Amino acid sequence: MNYDQARYAREDQYEPLLAEKNSTRVEIDDSPLPDDLTRDSVELPDLSEPELARHYTRLSQMNWSVESGPYPLGSCTMKYNPSFTEDVAADPNAAVHPDRSVESSQGTLELLYDLQDYLGRIGGMDAVTLQPPAGAAGEFAGILVAKAYHESQGNDRSEVVIPASAHGTNFASAAMAGYDVVELPSGEDGRVDMDALDAALSEDTAALMLTNPNTVGLFERDIVEIAEMVHDVGGLLYYDGANLNALLGRGRPGDMGFDIMHYNVHKTFATPHGGGGPGAGPVGVVEELAPFLPSPRVRESGGNYELFDPEETIGKVHGYMGNWLVLVKAYAYIARLGDAGLADASAKAVLNANYLAEQLDYEVPYSPFHHEFAATAGDKDAADVAKRMLDYGVHPPTTKWPEFVPEAMLTEPTEIENRDSLDDLAHAFNAAMADSDEELENAPSRTTARRIDQVSAAREPRLSWHALDEE
């Protein structure tokens, strides 16, 4: 059996490389260990090094990454992660044990201090913590800061207002902090419904959580008025940094009236999307909220750098100063691009989204949009169209969300794509939309793994290759 035959011999099991997972049974005759700690035989891998190298190379080629082609997941900002930041993080000088003394870690502390300053200036914030280990963790920390602030003022606030189109973590963060969530409907233009906002705000409002531009790429034109309305009832305005990539060098949340924000460095500053691995979600605040930030922070003192605990800190939200090497990569990216480079990145992100949308045979209900747009698949199932796009060699966009766009295909090409790759992506979009219902329902048909039963996969996951071989 040749490789191609072996590859597809078990298609019903969705395990194209199972034939390569050779093993040998080793019999065990005698052992000095007690019987209850031994077994009669054991299966061990039986592969040569070339076989092993080829197996994992083929396996990697079955996956998709931003180095394979466009990754236009809307609201995810799947930027290319430049390799030079990996080189910077791999520098032996970055391998500093977190328990080293402040005196022997001045270079580390200086970088962290400068990153705090970079992020503060980018977001228009007065103080920044780098400690939260992911965007969602930063979001939760930001809400805890808001809660601590209100408690210090003797205010018993019980509600957080969140647009219906917001990221799910917004609702989760507010609920985890003990708040009741007041869901805010979108207006007919896709932006905040000002009348609904006025009705939702009260003396119970702790904060309004907002993304700007919002989930369908629309800039909230009434943001100054929104900020005034929230502040008039004593609430705080929270900025979800998910879409900050559209504003870099061109607008700052602090200047719009936001009091708290978190930064998604994996979206805006090109660190790897963790997939469960280490991340970073720094939080910025206005001066009045700085005393409540997590501890410790870094400050300059007499030409040196030191750690300090903010006066009314909410405490630690992660070990040490956060995920150090992720922060190093974000620092390197910002320093390399500088002010002009960051502004250029946001301009190209907006340009690419608008160029791509113009090439599509899809309706885009809401505009003018910035860095992303929500097309609708109309009377077709967006998930089927997305699976069919895989057959045309591209990764599809986010589907079925936000829910107020029917059969949504939320698309964000980012600034990294050139015109040729955008044209290829547009061709895949349009070709999939033009295919028959039968082709869509059976897609994907050209990928290594075919369509899976997603419900069963979630409820009864097979976590071992042994389970596949036993059927």
Side-chain angles (χ1 to χ4, degrees):
M1 180 182 292
N2 62 30
Y3 166 66
D4 286 332
Q5 291 173 321
R7 180 180 181 186
Y8 294 106
R10 299 173 182 264
E11 283 188 347
D12 60 320
Q13 295 178 333
Y14 302 107
E15 183 60 42
L17 297 187
L18 189 62
E20 297 184 7
K21 296 178 179 176
N22 299 326
S23 63
T24 186
R25 181 178 293 273
V26 178
E27 303 293 334
I28 302 172
D29 296 327
D30 190 25
S31 170
L33 297 174
D35 290 343
D36 60 344
L37 296 180
T38 63
R39 49 188 166 182
D40 296 330
S41 64
V42 62
E43 285 198 15
L44 298 174
D46 187 22
L47 295 168
S48 67
E49 183 172 329
E51 287 177 307
L52 188 65
R54 290 167 184 168
H55 170 79
Y56 280 106
T57 298
R58 282 194 284 269
L59 194 62
S60 72
Q61 292 167 344
M62 294 176 188
N63 290 324
W64 188 265
S65 75
V66 75
E67 293 184 344
S68 306
Y71 216 130
L73 288 173
S75 202
C76 293
T77 317
M78 303 295 286
K79 287 193 180 192
Y80 173 72
N81 308 137
S83 58
F84 86 90
T85 65
E86 298 290 340
D87 296 336
V88 173
D91 189 310
N93 292 309
V96 178
H97 193 283
D99 275 330
R100 276 179 57 171
S101 67
V102 168
E103 291 76 18
S104 64
S105 304
Q106 286 295 297
T108 299
L109 296 179
E110 181 179 2
L111 187 151
L112 293 173
Y113 177 83
D114 287 345
L115 182 56
Q116 289 176 175
D117 179 63
Y118 276 163
L119 295 176
R121 287 189 281 131
I122 288 169
M125 295 286 125
D126 297 315
V128 173
T129 176
L130 306 174
Q131 199 174 109
E139 184 180 291
F140 180 51
I143 291 298
L144 291 181
V145 167
K147 186 171 187 177
Y149 166 76
H150 286 304
E151 290 176 348
S152 75
Q153 302 295 307
N155 294 329
D156 185 19
R157 305 267 170 159
S158 60
E159 297 177 347
V160 171
V161 181
I162 304 175
S165 63
H167 296 92
T169 52
N170 287 189
F171 301 92
S173 295
M176 286 175 61
Y179 288 112
D180 295 327
V181 173
V182 178
E183 189 171 306
L184 190 65
S186 297
E188 292 184 1
D189 64 351
R191 298 178 174 84
V192 168
D193 185 320
M194 299 297 285
D195 291 334
L197 175 62
D198 185 55
L201 294 174
S202 71
E203 292 184 356
D204 290 326
T205 302
L208 167 64
M209 301 182 75
L210 204 61
T211 305
N212 195 25
N214 68 13
T215 304
V216 291
L218 305 179
F219 189 84
E220 296 290 352
R221 295 169 175 169
D222 297 316
I223 187 59
V224 174
E225 184 180 350
I226 291 171
E228 291 175 351
M229 292 171 65
V230 174
H231 293 152
D232 284 346
V233 298
L236 299 172
L237 189 56
Y238 184 97
Y239 183 81
D240 179 339
N243 295 338
L244 183 62
N245 199 50
L247 298 181
L248 286 176
R250 298 174 184 279
R252 307 194 308 171
D255 297 336
M256 301 173 198
F258 286 92
D259 305 293
I260 312 172
M261 68 176 293
H262 78 267
Y263 304 78
N264 290 307
V265 298
H266 60 288
K267 293 186 177 186
T268 317
F269 304 115
T271 67
H273 281 62
V283 175
V285 296
V286 295
E287 185 176 3
E288 191 175 8
L289 303 180
F292 303 95
L293 286 173
S295 63
R297 293 182 58 228
V298 183
R299 66 185 175 194
E300 189 176 10
S301 178
N304 293 314
Y305 299 91
E306 64 181 14
L307 299 175
F308 74 100
D309 294 332
E311 296 173 5
E312 300 182 71
T313 178
I314 62 171
K316 276 185 171 291
V317 296
H318 191 62
Y320 300 101
M321 295 302 298
N323 285 321
W324 159 243
L325 293 181
V326 176
L327 297 171
V328 171
K329 294 174 187 178
Y331 175 91
Y333 178 84
I334 296 170
R336 179 71 171 266
L337 264 66
D339 292 344
L342 294 175
D344 185 60
S346 64
K348 288 178 178 175
V350 173
L351 176 64
N352 280 357
N354 279 268
Y355 175 81
L356 177 60
E358 283 293 317
Q359 312 309 308
L360 302 187
D361 299 331
Y362 294 67
E363 179 189 358
V364 179
Y366 298 103
S367 63
F369 48 82
H370 288 68
H371 65 300
E372 65 183 350
F373 59 90
T376 174
D379 59 356
K380 297 183 183 293
D381 187 302
D384 287 345
V385 175
K387 288 179 172 63
R388 183 59 172 162
M389 288 178 67
L390 295 172
D391 288 331
Y392 291 98
V394 303
H395 198 286
T398 302
T399 61
K400 306 281 191 176
W401 189 78
E403 293 178 351
F404 65 86
V405 177
E407 298 300 332
M409 303 191 74
L410 187 60
T411 307
E412 182 182 5
T414 80
E415 71 274 13
I416 67 171
E417 304 304 335
N418 60 29
R419 184 171 179 174
D420 288 341
S421 67
L422 293 173
D423 288 342
D424 290 342
L425 190 57
H427 171 73
F429 264 98
N430 294 336
M433 179 62 93
D435 283 334
S436 68
D437 290 342
E438 181 180 0
E439 288 173 311
L440 294 180
E441 290 169 2
N442 292 324
S445 60
R446 301 171 186 168
T447 53
T448 301
R450 304 297 186 259
R451 182 177 293 223
I452 64 172
D453 182 343
Q454 293 172 288
V455 175
S456 296
R459 293 179 177 175
E460 300 177 11
R462 298 177 181 181
L463 303 179
S464 168
W465 65 275
H466 288 287
L468 294 171
D469 213 21
E470 290 169 358
E471 288 198 353

